Amino acid sequence: QRQSEELPFKYLEKLLPGARVLRQVFYKGKTEAGKIDWCEVDGLLIYDDHLFVIEARGGAFTYTPPATDFPAYVASLKNLVLKPAMQGRRFLDYLKSAETVALYDGNHAQIGELSAKGFRRTTICPVTMDPFTELAAQVQHLRKIGVDVGSEPVWAISIDDLRVYSDIFENPLVFLHF
């Protein structure tokens, strides 16, 4: 788990040098039960006016083809993409809930504040250990099979893809345009 939560930042910091990184950020958000409670996001990466909400997942994608076990296929998508996307969406809902919101560490000590108006772009970024590039590229279009990540931009990516991107993109602006 530690590796799956560290590697996305290693590669993203290489792609976006000088980015501000906050790891294991806690905040008081609305849970699935509708209550306000402590919630956590694996990290935030801020580059210029772009906010990446990073959620790492260590699970494995099913190797069963959808033609023989469609429910297992959809369950993998929900675990590796939908759950972290919903965690990211919950953070963005919190970010938009006030002019400025507080961010906390694991001991619930305030470590900073953010304002949604400071960002031109926000992207929820579920990062997986398991590569499934062709599906990750279509994550916004999986609603018909029960994987609805919502309207916020979601960029699902594997650690392997991030590693390759960090080797081939030499300029942060080219990467962000990509």
Side-chain angles (χ1 to χ4, degrees):
Q1 180 182 358
R2 197 175 105 191
Q3 281 287 79
S4 69
E5 290 180 5
E6 285 181 18
L7 288 174
F9 294 100
K10 173 185 173 183
Y11 297 130
L12 285 166
E13 286 178 280
K14 184 177 176 186
L15 285 160
L16 302 168
R20 178 179 169 206
V21 175
L22 300 167
R23 295 190 192 181
Q24 291 187 313
V25 175
F26 288 81
Y27 60 98
K28 287 280 207 153
K30 191 179 278 189
T31 66
E32 287 116 24
K35 297 180 180 182
I36 302 296
D37 202 356
W38 287 106
C39 300
E40 183 255 353
V41 65
D42 290 334
L44 304 172
L45 187 136
I46 301 165
Y47 187 81
D48 193 26
D49 60 354
H50 197 125
L51 171 67
F52 291 90
V53 181
I54 311 297
E55 267 305 321
R57 290 302 263 197
F61 194 76
T62 184
Y63 293 100
T64 308
T68 59
D69 193 353
F70 189 70
Y73 191 77
V74 171
S76 284
L77 286 170
K78 287 181 177 179
N79 183 47
L80 295 178
V81 176
L82 185 61
K83 284 182 181 179
M86 294 300 100
Q87 287 177 272
R89 185 190 301 168
R90 180 174 55 208
F91 177 78
L92 291 181
D93 289 345
Y94 170 70
L95 181 62
K96 296 172 186 173
S97 70
E99 186 74 24
T100 301
V101 296
L103 307 175
Y104 302 88
D105 65 13
N107 296 318
H108 303 156
Q110 189 169 340
I111 57 171
E113 293 181 334
L114 281 183
S115 173
K117 69 180 179 182
F119 302 104
R120 184 178 55 84
R121 291 257 187 241
T122 58
T123 303
I124 299 167
C125 194
V127 182
T128 69
M129 294 298 284
D130 210 357
F132 59 107
T133 305
E134 60 281 344
L135 280 173
Q138 302 173 45
V139 72
Q140 297 288 149
H141 306 287
L142 299 175
R143 187 173 294 123
K144 290 180 182 177
I145 63 169
V147 182
D148 183 1
V149 297
S151 60
E152 296 287 342
V154 174
W155 180 40
I157 190 164
S158 72
I159 292 290
D160 288 342
D161 287 343
L162 266 180
R163 181 181 50 80
V164 170
Y165 294 163
S166 74
D167 287 341
I168 62 172
F169 288 108
E170 297 177 5
N171 180 314
L173 296 177
V174 172
F175 168 70
L176 287 174
H177 181 71
F178 169 76

